[in-house]
Amino acid sequence: MLASDLRQFLPPQCCVPDDISRCLQQGRYLFTSHCESSLILAQAALDSASMLEHSALQAEALILLGQSQQVLQQTDAALASFQRALVLGKRLESCAIQSAACEGLALCYQNLRQNPKALQAWLNALELGLQSGEPVRYIQAYLGIGSLYFQHENYEQACYYQAQAVEWSQLQDDRDLQAKARLHLAATLIKMNDYSLAEQLLQQTENILLLPVRLSWQAEINHYLGLIQMARQDWPRAEHYFQAAHALNVTTASRWGQTQSLISLGQLSARKGDLQAAIARLQAALLLAEQQADDHLRQQIHAELSALYEAQGDYVRATTHHIEFHQFYLQLLKQNASDQLDALSSRRLKQAEIKLQLLRSELEVKQLMQQRSLEHERMQQLENAAFHDALTGAFNRHALDEQLPVLLQQARQDGSTLCLIMIDFDHFKQVNDGYSHQVGDDVLKTGIKLLLALTRETDLLARFGGEEFVLILPRKNAQLARRVAERMRQEIEQFNWGALAPGLAVTISLGCAQWHSGMGIDELMAAADQALYQAKHAGRNQVCLAPARSAGAAP
């Protein structure tokens, strides 16, 4: 929109608060489609509100100004605008203004890769949003926290918070917010290799997408669909989606989106064996990444180029790109080491979640009875994605961390027994190396299916990491747990693994430990892990039981 077209919305020289409100309303309307115009209107509204010394309107104008500056990559200016808005919000004692300002600060800190500050800002936005009763703030905060976990490649935690955001968005009449939440979750599900559910979410997002104002989101959808098709080795469809995403990113002038599209097109060319095209596309992506000074993108591109030049036998260029990759790797590794979620942040997050659960329960009583059975099924899928391992169907580490303390507390209250079994697939690396990673995945899927058939509904089988699993057996003592473990060992050993790959044989080793009063989670896990080590050290394919703790042993 031309500046001359905005004159009708600018506050007159001698204005009243209604003139400023009208200017801000138009600025918010233009925000998604003409951010430059919203910036002009926000600045004009701020100037007029300052002349009138109207603090509330000044704060609203600063929020819109900061949002516009942030989208236009004027991050330092946006930080200053949001900080001024936060000061005014505190002076006005307005939780709504403070929450919006904190949300803006969080996005700026994420852009600057200052993740600890971003996390604190998201937590502030979440807590203030709870006080002001604004569900949109809960959703944005959950998405923001999820994106921080996503950056650290903790996809299970990212999935958990993004699934919460999707569920909350379903309770709001806001298609744009629903689309945004689904888009975030789909990206994480792709990282977790849950392509089917991700594809469903992307299709649902397309159906509710607000076009043409969200063309950049349409580009993301195409990009993610391309990743799914590339994982399925459907090269023509993957190429189609990536090219469509790149064209939209060019139209919307999204340099970051163009870079991502070129990286994926380069990876696709490499998989098709066209190394020259792959290098050309990645070199074009590197130029864009350099312009943005994005260390994560540059690290990824240098790694890809190093591998491609090595495949061509050009070891000089391969080494050059490997050195560049390694420098960015060390830099990001140092940054990530200081970005971990501290104990105080964890407590604040848990407290906010408890309040949100209570609020959501109240909303569910009023609204969820009206949801269709199809929506209920979709929510169940999201819950499964957040608490189940995508490959094997067992519970994941997040579910184990959530449920083991609960099961131990029940055992303490009831005075009952509980056992923990550590399970490890023997020589699993040799399966991957000798038969392929696909066969390795099939071994884990089949093996866990066999083990699940031997468990009760009250038992909990969870993937602990890699080829290692944990089985929790409530109300079973050590001898009964050992029998269960032996049945499992025999079931795996006797299964016809040759049907998966000729000559394949699979065994497991198991370490059992019984919980005793006064024993902590770490001690119980360590006892089972030591028993597993004993089983492997003794030759594998056997069950070992941790020694019983004497009655006088210290807890």
Side-chain angles (χ1 to χ4, degrees):
M1 181 174 287
L2 297 175
S4 57
D5 298 327
L6 299 176
R7 289 176 185 169
Q8 59 181 312
F9 303 110
L10 297 175
Q13 189 170 3
C14 297
C15 66
V16 296
D18 284 348
D19 296 322
I20 301 172
S21 296
R22 187 172 68 93
C23 178
L24 287 171
Q25 182 179 6
Q26 184 64 19
R28 284 188 282 266
Y29 173 75
L30 293 172
F31 175 70
T32 54
S33 56
H34 297 91
C35 204
E36 294 86 352
S37 298
S38 68
L39 182 77
I40 294 170
L41 293 174
Q43 185 63 61
L46 176 61
D47 294 341
S48 297
S50 300
M51 289 179 61
L52 294 180
E53 297 183 351
H54 197 301
S55 297
L57 287 175
Q58 286 182 63
E60 287 185 45
L62 283 165
I63 295 294
L64 180 58
L65 183 63
Q67 291 169 340
S68 304
Q69 291 165 333
Q70 194 265 330
V71 170
L72 294 171
Q73 298 183 336
Q74 301 171 14
T75 307
D76 291 339
L79 274 172
S81 297
F82 288 128
Q83 286 164 350
R84 288 177 62 191
L86 183 60
V87 170
L88 285 172
K90 290 178 179 177
R91 188 184 304 165
L92 294 165
E93 298 183 352
S94 169
C95 291
I97 290 173
Q98 293 179 68
S99 181
C102 288
E103 180 184 308
L105 289 170
L107 290 170
C108 290
Y109 289 134
Q110 279 186 241
N111 286 347
L112 296 170
R113 301 289 181 179
Q114 297 179 13
N115 288 347
K117 288 185 176 181
L119 177 60
Q120 293 303 317
W122 280 125
L123 287 169
N124 291 338
L126 180 58
E127 291 167 351
L128 289 161
L130 276 166
Q131 293 179 48
S132 61
E134 294 181 287
V136 65
R137 301 299 171 207
Y138 323 152
I139 298 166
Q140 298 283 24
Y142 268 145
L143 291 176
I145 293 167
S147 68
L148 291 176
Y149 279 112
F150 185 93
Q151 286 180 16
H152 285 278
E153 299 182 2
N154 188 339
Y155 300 124
E156 290 182 356
Q157 282 290 88
C159 182
Y160 169 76
Y161 288 108
Q162 289 162 351
Q164 296 287 322
V166 170
E167 291 185 8
W168 269 103
S169 72
Q170 289 302 111
L171 302 176
Q172 315 304 316
D173 188 20
D174 188 331
R175 285 172 52 196
D176 205 45
L177 202 55
Q178 291 171 14
K180 181 179 181 180
R182 283 183 168 98
L183 200 53
H184 276 70
L185 181 56
T188 301
L189 290 172
I190 289 171
K191 289 291 187 180
M192 297 172 71
N193 301 325
D194 194 339
Y195 302 122
S196 179
L197 184 53
E199 193 170 29
Q200 292 177 40
L201 277 170
L202 291 170
Q203 290 168 351
Q204 292 172 8
T205 306
E206 276 194 305
N207 292 336
I208 60 175
L209 201 60
L210 298 175
L211 295 175
V213 296
R214 291 302 188 187
L215 281 178
S216 60
W217 291 9
Q218 181 66 63
E220 282 193 63
I221 292 171
N222 284 331
H223 182 75
Y224 295 145
L225 289 172
L227 292 176
I228 292 171
Q229 298 309 321
M230 187 161 66
R232 293 171 176 168
Q233 299 186 7
D234 188 340
W235 310 137
R237 293 186 69 193
E239 177 90 22
H240 165 76
Y241 282 123
F242 288 145
Q243 291 287 9
H246 186 259
L248 286 170
N249 283 318
V250 170
T251 299
T252 58
S254 171
R255 289 188 296 173
W256 187 87
Q258 291 174 57
T259 310
Q260 288 284 10
S261 298
L262 287 168
I263 291 172
S264 295
L265 284 165
Q267 292 171 333
L268 181 60
S269 296
R271 295 193 184 189
K272 291 162 63 177
D274 190 347
L275 299 189
Q276 286 300 114
I279 289 172
R281 284 168 162 174
L282 288 166
Q283 289 287 8
L286 185 58
L287 286 174
L288 286 169
E290 294 286 358
Q291 294 170 15
Q292 300 165 75
D294 191 309
D295 291 350
H296 288 78
L297 290 176
R298 288 188 283 192
Q299 178 199 18
Q300 181 183 0
I301 296 167
H302 281 300
E304 297 280 352
L305 285 170
S306 178
L308 288 171
Y309 281 122
E310 184 178 355
Q312 283 190 328
D314 190 341
Y315 298 111
V316 174
R317 291 184 181 178
T319 302
T320 300
H321 284 289
H322 180 75
I323 291 171
E324 292 288 341
F325 156 77
H326 193 63
Q327 288 176 343
F328 286 119
Y329 172 79
L330 291 177
Q331 185 175 330
L332 292 169
L333 189 67
K334 183 179 179 181
Q335 176 183 318
N336 289 343
S338 64
D339 284 355
Q340 301 304 312
L341 187 67
D342 58 35
L344 177 61
S345 298
S346 297
R347 286 197 299 273
R348 290 177 63 195
L349 191 52
K350 286 292 182 186
Q351 290 168 356
E353 284 190 55
I354 291 170
K355 294 178 183 177
L356 281 168
Q357 290 291 346
L358 293 173
L359 280 173
R360 194 168 69 188
S361 296
E362 294 174 7
L363 284 173
E364 285 172 350
V365 170
K366 299 175 183 176
Q367 297 182 34
L368 291 187
M369 291 299 292
Q370 301 172 7
Q371 289 186 345
R372 298 171 296 177
S373 59
L374 186 63
E375 283 296 307
H376 177 74
E377 181 182 345
R378 191 192 62 78
M379 291 299 180
Q380 191 65 46
Q381 287 177 320
L382 292 179
E383 183 178 348
N384 288 338
F387 290 99
H388 287 78
D389 176 52
L391 176 66
T392 64
F395 285 103
N396 57 28
R397 182 68 178 271
H398 179 68
L400 178 67
D401 292 342
E402 289 274 331
Q403 291 301 313
L404 182 53
V406 175
L407 294 173
L408 278 182
Q409 184 61 29
Q410 288 177 348
R412 289 190 188 98
Q413 292 175 349
D414 299 342
S416 58
T417 56
L418 179 143
C419 284
L420 186 148
I421 302 175
M422 297 284 288
I423 305 166
D424 187 73
F425 282 74
D426 296 329
H427 302 296
F428 189 71
K429 185 177 185 300
Q430 295 179 14
V431 175
N432 280 333
D433 293 345
Y435 291 89
S436 79
H437 286 275
Q438 181 60 55
V439 171
D441 287 350
D442 290 339
V443 165
L444 291 182
K445 286 190 286 189
T446 303
I448 295 308
K449 184 177 180 181
L450 295 171
L451 298 186
L452 284 169
L454 298 176
T455 62
R456 306 166 297 174
E457 287 186 2
T458 54
D459 300 337
L460 188 149
L461 179 61
R463 189 172 186 177
F464 191 69
E467 67 273 16
E468 200 167 42
F469 294 79
V470 169
L471 175 63
I472 310 298
L473 299 172
R475 301 183 186 280
K476 279 192 182 293
N477 59 30
Q479 293 307 315
L480 290 174
R482 183 168 191 159
R483 291 180 195 172
V484 171
E486 181 59 24
R487 283 202 303 271
M488 289 182 164
R489 187 198 66 77
Q490 293 176 11
E491 186 76 12
I492 296 296
E493 182 185 33
Q494 295 168 8
F495 183 75
N496 179 22
W497 295 102
L500 291 182
L504 177 64
V506 178
T507 60
I508 56 174
S509 300
L510 305 97
C512 309
Q514 180 174 331
W515 172 79
H516 298 281
S517 179
M519 204 180 211
I521 290 175
D522 291 343
E523 189 179 355
L524 177 62
M525 295 284 288
D529 192 55
Q530 183 60 35
L532 174 62
Y533 173 80
Q534 182 182 349
K536 292 194 288 186
H537 188 69
R540 294 182 170 82
N541 189 26
Q542 55 187 282
V543 177
C544 284
L545 183 63
R549 201 171 69 170
S550 61

Short mmCIF file of all heavy atoms in Angstrom, two decimals, residues 256-304:
data_model
loop_
_atom_site.label_atom_id
_atom_site.label_comp_id
_atom_site.label_asym_id
_atom_site.label_seq_id
_atom_site.Cartn_x
_atom_site.Cartn_y
_atom_site.Cartn_z
N TRP A 256 15.00 -16.33 4.35
CA TRP A 256 15.16 -17.55 5.13
C TRP A 256 14.44 -18.71 4.45
O TRP A 256 14.97 -19.82 4.34
CB TRP A 256 14.62 -17.33 6.54
CG TRP A 256 14.89 -18.48 7.46
CD1 TRP A 256 16.00 -18.70 8.22
CD2 TRP A 256 14.01 -19.61 7.71
NE1 TRP A 256 15.88 -19.86 8.93
CE2 TRP A 256 14.67 -20.45 8.63
CE3 TRP A 256 12.76 -19.98 7.24
CZ2 TRP A 256 14.11 -21.63 9.10
CZ3 TRP A 256 12.20 -21.16 7.70
CH2 TRP A 256 12.86 -21.96 8.62
N GLY A 257 13.21 -18.46 3.98
CA GLY A 257 12.45 -19.50 3.29
C GLY A 257 13.13 -19.94 2.00
O GLY A 257 13.18 -21.13 1.68
N GLN A 258 13.68 -18.98 1.25
CA GLN A 258 14.39 -19.32 0.02
C GLN A 258 15.60 -20.20 0.33
O GLN A 258 15.90 -21.16 -0.39
CB GLN A 258 14.86 -18.05 -0.69
CG GLN A 258 13.73 -17.21 -1.28
CD GLN A 258 14.25 -15.90 -1.84
OE1 GLN A 258 15.12 -15.89 -2.69
NE2 GLN A 258 13.71 -14.78 -1.35
N THR A 259 16.30 -19.87 1.41
CA THR A 259 17.48 -20.66 1.79
C THR A 259 17.09 -22.09 2.11
O THR A 259 17.73 -23.04 1.66
CB THR A 259 18.17 -20.01 3.02
OG1 THR A 259 18.37 -18.63 2.78
CG2 THR A 259 19.51 -20.67 3.29
N GLN A 260 16.02 -22.25 2.90
CA GLN A 260 15.57 -23.60 3.26
C GLN A 260 15.16 -24.39 2.02
O GLN A 260 15.49 -25.57 1.89
CB GLN A 260 14.38 -23.50 4.23
CG GLN A 260 14.74 -23.04 5.63
CD GLN A 260 15.40 -24.13 6.45
OE1 GLN A 260 15.76 -25.18 5.95
NE2 GLN A 260 15.58 -23.89 7.74
N SER A 261 14.45 -23.73 1.09
CA SER A 261 14.02 -24.42 -0.12
C SER A 261 15.23 -24.87 -0.95
O SER A 261 15.26 -25.99 -1.48
CB SER A 261 13.12 -23.51 -0.96
OG SER A 261 11.95 -23.16 -0.26
N LEU A 262 16.24 -24.00 -1.07
CA LEU A 262 17.43 -24.35 -1.85
C LEU A 262 18.22 -25.48 -1.19
O LEU A 262 18.77 -26.35 -1.89
CB LEU A 262 18.32 -23.11 -2.03
CG LEU A 262 17.78 -22.06 -3.01
CD1 LEU A 262 18.58 -20.77 -2.89
CD2 LEU A 262 17.83 -22.60 -4.45
N ILE A 263 18.29 -25.48 0.13
CA ILE A 263 18.97 -26.58 0.83
C ILE A 263 18.27 -27.90 0.53
O ILE A 263 18.90 -28.91 0.19
CB ILE A 263 18.99 -26.33 2.35
CG1 ILE A 263 19.92 -25.17 2.68
CG2 ILE A 263 19.45 -27.58 3.09
CD1 ILE A 263 19.87 -24.73 4.14
N SER A 264 16.94 -27.90 0.64
CA SER A 264 16.19 -29.14 0.39
C SER A 264 16.30 -29.57 -1.07
O SER A 264 16.41 -30.76 -1.36
CB SER A 264 14.71 -28.95 0.77
OG SER A 264 14.59 -28.73 2.16
N LEU A 265 16.26 -28.61 -2.00
CA LEU A 265 16.43 -28.96 -3.41
C LEU A 265 17.83 -29.53 -3.66
O LEU A 265 18.01 -30.46 -4.46
CB LEU A 265 16.20 -27.73 -4.29
CG LEU A 265 14.73 -27.32 -4.47
CD1 LEU A 265 14.61 -25.91 -5.04
CD2 LEU A 265 14.02 -28.32 -5.40
N GLY A 266 18.83 -28.98 -2.97
CA GLY A 266 20.18 -29.52 -3.10
C GLY A 266 20.28 -30.93 -2.55
O GLY A 266 20.89 -31.81 -3.17
N GLN A 267 19.65 -31.18 -1.39
CA GLN A 267 19.65 -32.53 -0.83
C GLN A 267 18.93 -33.51 -1.76
O GLN A 267 19.37 -34.65 -1.94
CB GLN A 267 18.96 -32.51 0.54
CG GLN A 267 19.73 -31.76 1.60
CD GLN A 267 18.94 -31.56 2.87
OE1 GLN A 267 17.69 -31.52 2.85
NE2 GLN A 267 19.63 -31.43 4.00
N LEU A 268 17.84 -33.04 -2.37
CA LEU A 268 17.10 -33.89 -3.30
C LEU A 268 17.96 -34.24 -4.52
O LEU A 268 17.99 -35.40 -4.96
CB LEU A 268 15.81 -33.19 -3.73
CG LEU A 268 14.89 -33.96 -4.68
CD1 LEU A 268 14.42 -35.26 -4.06
CD2 LEU A 268 13.69 -33.10 -5.08
N SER A 269 18.65 -33.25 -5.08
CA SER A 269 19.53 -33.51 -6.24
C SER A 269 20.61 -34.51 -5.87
O SER A 269 20.95 -35.39 -6.68
CB SER A 269 20.16 -32.20 -6.71
OG SER A 269 19.19 -31.30 -7.20
N ALA A 270 21.17 -34.39 -4.67
CA ALA A 270 22.21 -35.33 -4.23
C ALA A 270 21.67 -36.75 -4.14
O ALA A 270 22.33 -37.71 -4.57
CB ALA A 270 22.77 -34.89 -2.88
N ARG A 271 20.47 -36.89 -3.62
CA ARG A 271 19.88 -38.24 -3.50
C ARG A 271 19.56 -38.83 -4.87
O ARG A 271 19.58 -40.05 -5.04
CB ARG A 271 18.61 -38.18 -2.65
CG ARG A 271 18.90 -37.80 -1.20
CD ARG A 271 17.72 -38.05 -0.30
NE ARG A 271 17.99 -37.60 1.05
CZ ARG A 271 17.20 -37.85 2.10
NH1 ARG A 271 16.08 -38.55 1.92
NH2 ARG A 271 17.50 -37.39 3.29
N LYS A 272 19.28 -37.96 -5.83
CA LYS A 272 19.02 -38.44 -7.20
C LYS A 272 20.31 -38.69 -7.96
O LYS A 272 20.28 -39.15 -9.10
CB LYS A 272 18.15 -37.41 -7.94
CG LYS A 272 16.73 -37.31 -7.40
CD LYS A 272 16.04 -36.02 -7.82
CE LYS A 272 15.86 -35.91 -9.31
NZ LYS A 272 15.12 -34.67 -9.67
N GLY A 273 21.46 -38.35 -7.36
CA GLY A 273 22.74 -38.60 -8.00
C GLY A 273 23.26 -37.47 -8.85
O GLY A 273 24.31 -37.59 -9.49
N ASP A 274 22.56 -36.34 -8.89
CA ASP A 274 22.99 -35.19 -9.68
C ASP A 274 23.81 -34.26 -8.78
O ASP A 274 23.31 -33.26 -8.24
CB ASP A 274 21.77 -34.46 -10.24
CG ASP A 274 22.13 -33.41 -11.28
OD1 ASP A 274 23.33 -33.08 -11.38
OD2 ASP A 274 21.22 -32.90 -11.97
N LEU A 275 25.10 -34.58 -8.61
CA LEU A 275 25.93 -33.86 -7.65
C LEU A 275 26.18 -32.42 -8.07
O LEU A 275 26.27 -31.52 -7.22
CB LEU A 275 27.27 -34.59 -7.46
CG LEU A 275 27.18 -36.03 -6.93
CD1 LEU A 275 28.57 -36.56 -6.60
CD2 LEU A 275 26.28 -36.12 -5.71
N GLN A 276 26.31 -32.16 -9.38
CA GLN A 276 26.57 -30.81 -9.84
C GLN A 276 25.39 -29.88 -9.51
O GLN A 276 25.58 -28.76 -9.05
CB GLN A 276 26.83 -30.80 -11.36
CG GLN A 276 28.20 -31.36 -11.75
CD GLN A 276 29.33 -30.56 -11.12
OE1 GLN A 276 30.07 -31.08 -10.27
NE2 GLN A 276 29.47 -29.30 -11.51
N ALA A 277 24.17 -30.37 -9.78
CA ALA A 277 22.99 -29.56 -9.45
C ALA A 277 22.88 -29.36 -7.94
O ALA A 277 22.50 -28.26 -7.47
CB ALA A 277 21.73 -30.24 -9.98
N ALA A 278 23.22 -30.39 -7.17
CA ALA A 278 23.16 -30.28 -5.71
C ALA A 278 24.12 -29.20 -5.22
O ALA A 278 23.76 -28.36 -4.38
CB ALA A 278 23.51 -31.62 -5.07
N ILE A 279 25.35 -29.19 -5.75
CA ILE A 279 26.34 -28.20 -5.33
C ILE A 279 25.88 -26.79 -5.72
O ILE A 279 25.99 -25.85 -4.92
CB ILE A 279 27.71 -28.53 -5.95
CG1 ILE A 279 28.30 -29.79 -5.29
CG2 ILE A 279 28.67 -27.35 -5.80
CD1 ILE A 279 29.55 -30.30 -5.94
N ALA A 280 25.37 -26.64 -6.94
CA ALA A 280 24.92 -25.32 -7.39
C ALA A 280 23.81 -24.78 -6.48
O ALA A 280 23.81 -23.59 -6.11
CB ALA A 280 24.43 -25.40 -8.83
N ARG A 281 22.85 -25.62 -6.12
CA ARG A 281 21.75 -25.18 -5.28
C ARG A 281 22.23 -24.84 -3.87
O ARG A 281 21.78 -23.86 -3.26
CB ARG A 281 20.67 -26.27 -5.23
CG ARG A 281 19.85 -26.33 -6.52
CD ARG A 281 18.98 -27.57 -6.60
NE ARG A 281 17.92 -27.38 -7.60
CZ ARG A 281 17.08 -28.35 -7.99
NH1 ARG A 281 17.19 -29.57 -7.48
NH2 ARG A 281 16.13 -28.09 -8.87
N LEU A 282 23.15 -25.64 -3.34
CA LEU A 282 23.65 -25.37 -2.00
C LEU A 282 24.54 -24.14 -1.96
O LEU A 282 24.55 -23.40 -0.97
CB LEU A 282 24.40 -26.60 -1.48
CG LEU A 282 23.48 -27.79 -1.11
CD1 LEU A 282 24.28 -29.05 -0.93
CD2 LEU A 282 22.70 -27.48 0.16
N GLN A 283 25.30 -23.89 -3.03
CA GLN A 283 26.11 -22.67 -3.08
C GLN A 283 25.19 -21.44 -3.10
O GLN A 283 25.49 -20.42 -2.47
CB GLN A 283 27.00 -22.68 -4.34
CG GLN A 283 28.15 -23.68 -4.29
CD GLN A 283 29.26 -23.26 -3.34
OE1 GLN A 283 29.14 -22.30 -2.60
NE2 GLN A 283 30.36 -24.00 -3.36
N ALA A 284 24.08 -21.52 -3.83
CA ALA A 284 23.11 -20.41 -3.84
C ALA A 284 22.50 -20.22 -2.45
O ALA A 284 22.29 -19.09 -1.99
CB ALA A 284 22.01 -20.69 -4.87
N ALA A 285 22.23 -21.34 -1.76
CA ALA A 285 21.70 -21.26 -0.40
C ALA A 285 22.72 -20.63 0.54
O ALA A 285 22.36 -19.84 1.43
CB ALA A 285 21.32 -22.66 0.09
N LEU A 286 24.01 -20.95 0.35
CA LEU A 286 25.05 -20.41 1.22
C LEU A 286 25.16 -18.89 1.09
O LEU A 286 25.35 -18.19 2.08
CB LEU A 286 26.39 -21.07 0.88
CG LEU A 286 27.58 -20.69 1.78
CD1 LEU A 286 27.28 -21.02 3.24
CD2 LEU A 286 28.85 -21.42 1.33
N LEU A 287 25.01 -18.39 -0.13
CA LEU A 287 25.04 -16.93 -0.33
C LEU A 287 23.94 -16.24 0.47
O LEU A 287 24.15 -15.21 1.11
CB LEU A 287 24.89 -16.61 -1.82
CG LEU A 287 26.12 -16.89 -2.71
CD1 LEU A 287 25.77 -16.65 -4.17
CD2 LEU A 287 27.29 -16.00 -2.29
N LEU A 288 22.74 -16.83 0.43
CA LEU A 288 21.62 -16.25 1.19
C LEU A 288 21.85 -16.37 2.69
O LEU A 288 21.54 -15.44 3.46
CB LEU A 288 20.32 -16.96 0.81
CG LEU A 288 19.73 -16.61 -0.56
CD1 LEU A 288 18.61 -17.59 -0.92
CD2 LEU A 288 19.20 -15.19 -0.57
N ALA A 289 22.38 -17.50 3.13
CA ALA A 289 22.65 -17.70 4.56
C ALA A 289 23.70 -16.71 5.06
O ALA A 289 23.62 -16.22 6.19
CB ALA A 289 23.10 -19.13 4.81
N GLU A 290 24.70 -16.41 4.21
CA GLU A 290 25.73 -15.44 4.59
C GLU A 290 25.11 -14.05 4.76
O GLU A 290 25.46 -13.30 5.67
CB GLU A 290 26.83 -15.39 3.52
CG GLU A 290 27.64 -16.67 3.40
CD GLU A 290 28.60 -16.88 4.55
OE1 GLU A 290 28.66 -16.01 5.43
OE2 GLU A 290 29.28 -17.92 4.57
N GLN A 291 24.18 -13.69 3.87
CA GLN A 291 23.51 -12.39 3.97
C GLN A 291 22.73 -12.26 5.27
O GLN A 291 22.62 -11.18 5.84
CB GLN A 291 22.58 -12.19 2.78
CG GLN A 291 23.29 -12.08 1.44
CD GLN A 291 22.31 -12.11 0.27
OE1 GLN A 291 21.10 -11.95 0.45
NE2 GLN A 291 22.82 -12.34 -0.93
N GLN A 292 22.18 -13.39 5.75
CA GLN A 292 21.38 -13.37 6.98
C GLN A 292 22.23 -13.60 8.22
O GLN A 292 21.73 -13.46 9.34
CB GLN A 292 20.31 -14.46 6.91
CG GLN A 292 19.35 -14.30 5.74
CD GLN A 292 18.55 -15.58 5.50
OE1 GLN A 292 17.62 -15.89 6.25
NE2 GLN A 292 18.91 -16.34 4.47
N ALA A 293 23.51 -13.99 8.02
CA ALA A 293 24.41 -14.30 9.14
C ALA A 293 23.80 -15.34 10.06
O ALA A 293 23.87 -15.24 11.29
CB ALA A 293 24.76 -13.03 9.92
N ASP A 294 23.16 -16.37 9.44
CA ASP A 294 22.50 -17.43 10.21
C ASP A 294 23.48 -18.59 10.39
O ASP A 294 23.76 -19.34 9.44
CB ASP A 294 21.23 -17.90 9.48
CG ASP A 294 20.37 -18.80 10.35
OD1 ASP A 294 20.92 -19.76 10.91
OD2 ASP A 294 19.17 -18.55 10.46
N ASP A 295 24.00 -18.75 11.61
CA ASP A 295 25.03 -19.77 11.86
C ASP A 295 24.49 -21.18 11.67
O ASP A 295 25.21 -22.07 11.19
CB ASP A 295 25.58 -19.62 13.27
CG ASP A 295 26.41 -18.36 13.43
OD1 ASP A 295 26.70 -17.73 12.39
OD2 ASP A 295 26.76 -18.00 14.56
N HIS A 296 23.23 -21.43 12.07
CA HIS A 296 22.66 -22.77 11.94
C HIS A 296 22.56 -23.17 10.46
O HIS A 296 22.91 -24.29 10.09
CB HIS A 296 21.28 -22.83 12.60
CG HIS A 296 21.33 -22.80 14.08
ND1 HIS A 296 21.53 -21.64 14.80
CD2 HIS A 296 21.20 -23.80 15.01
CE1 HIS A 296 21.53 -21.91 16.10
NE2 HIS A 296 21.33 -23.21 16.24
N LEU A 297 22.08 -22.26 9.63
CA LEU A 297 21.97 -22.56 8.20
C LEU A 297 23.35 -22.76 7.59
O LEU A 297 23.57 -23.69 6.80
CB LEU A 297 21.22 -21.44 7.48
CG LEU A 297 19.72 -21.32 7.77
CD1 LEU A 297 19.15 -20.11 7.05
CD2 LEU A 297 18.98 -22.58 7.34
N ARG A 298 24.30 -21.88 7.95
CA ARG A 298 25.64 -22.00 7.38
C ARG A 298 26.31 -23.31 7.79
O ARG A 298 26.98 -23.95 6.98
CB ARG A 298 26.49 -20.80 7.81
CG ARG A 298 26.07 -19.50 7.12
CD ARG A 298 27.03 -18.35 7.39
NE ARG A 298 26.83 -17.79 8.71
CZ ARG A 298 27.38 -16.65 9.12
NH1 ARG A 298 28.17 -15.96 8.30
NH2 ARG A 298 27.17 -16.18 10.33
N GLN A 299 26.12 -23.71 9.04
CA GLN A 299 26.68 -24.98 9.49
C GLN A 299 26.12 -26.14 8.67
O GLN A 299 26.87 -27.01 8.20
CB GLN A 299 26.35 -25.20 10.97
CG GLN A 299 26.87 -26.54 11.50
CD GLN A 299 26.15 -26.94 12.79
OE1 GLN A 299 25.09 -26.43 13.10
NE2 GLN A 299 26.72 -27.89 13.50
N GLN A 300 24.81 -26.15 8.48
CA GLN A 300 24.16 -27.23 7.74
C GLN A 300 24.65 -27.27 6.28
O GLN A 300 24.96 -28.35 5.75
CB GLN A 300 22.64 -27.04 7.76
CG GLN A 300 21.88 -28.13 7.03
CD GLN A 300 20.38 -27.87 7.01
OE1 GLN A 300 19.90 -26.87 7.54
NE2 GLN A 300 19.63 -28.75 6.40
N ILE A 301 24.75 -26.10 5.64
CA ILE A 301 25.14 -26.06 4.24
C ILE A 301 26.59 -26.49 4.06
O ILE A 301 26.93 -27.25 3.13
CB ILE A 301 24.92 -24.64 3.66
CG1 ILE A 301 23.42 -24.29 3.70
CG2 ILE A 301 25.43 -24.56 2.23
CD1 ILE A 301 23.13 -22.82 3.44
N HIS A 302 27.47 -26.05 4.93
CA HIS A 302 28.89 -26.45 4.83
C HIS A 302 29.04 -27.96 5.00
O HIS A 302 29.86 -28.58 4.32
CB HIS A 302 29.73 -25.71 5.87
CG HIS A 302 30.06 -24.30 5.49
ND1 HIS A 302 30.78 -23.98 4.35
CD2 HIS A 302 29.77 -23.11 6.10
CE1 HIS A 302 30.92 -22.67 4.28
NE2 HIS A 302 30.31 -22.11 5.31
N ALA A 303 28.25 -28.56 5.89
CA ALA A 303 28.30 -30.02 6.07
C ALA A 303 27.87 -30.73 4.79
O ALA A 303 28.49 -31.71 4.36
CB ALA A 303 27.42 -30.44 7.24
N GLU A 304 26.78 -30.24 4.17
CA GLU A 304 26.29 -30.86 2.94
C GLU A 304 27.32 -30.72 1.81
O GLU A 304 27.61 -31.67 1.08
CB GLU A 304 24.97 -30.18 2.51
CG GLU A 304 23.82 -30.34 3.48
CD GLU A 304 23.12 -31.68 3.38
OE1 GLU A 304 23.43 -32.43 2.42
OE2 GLU A 304 22.28 -31.97 4.23
#
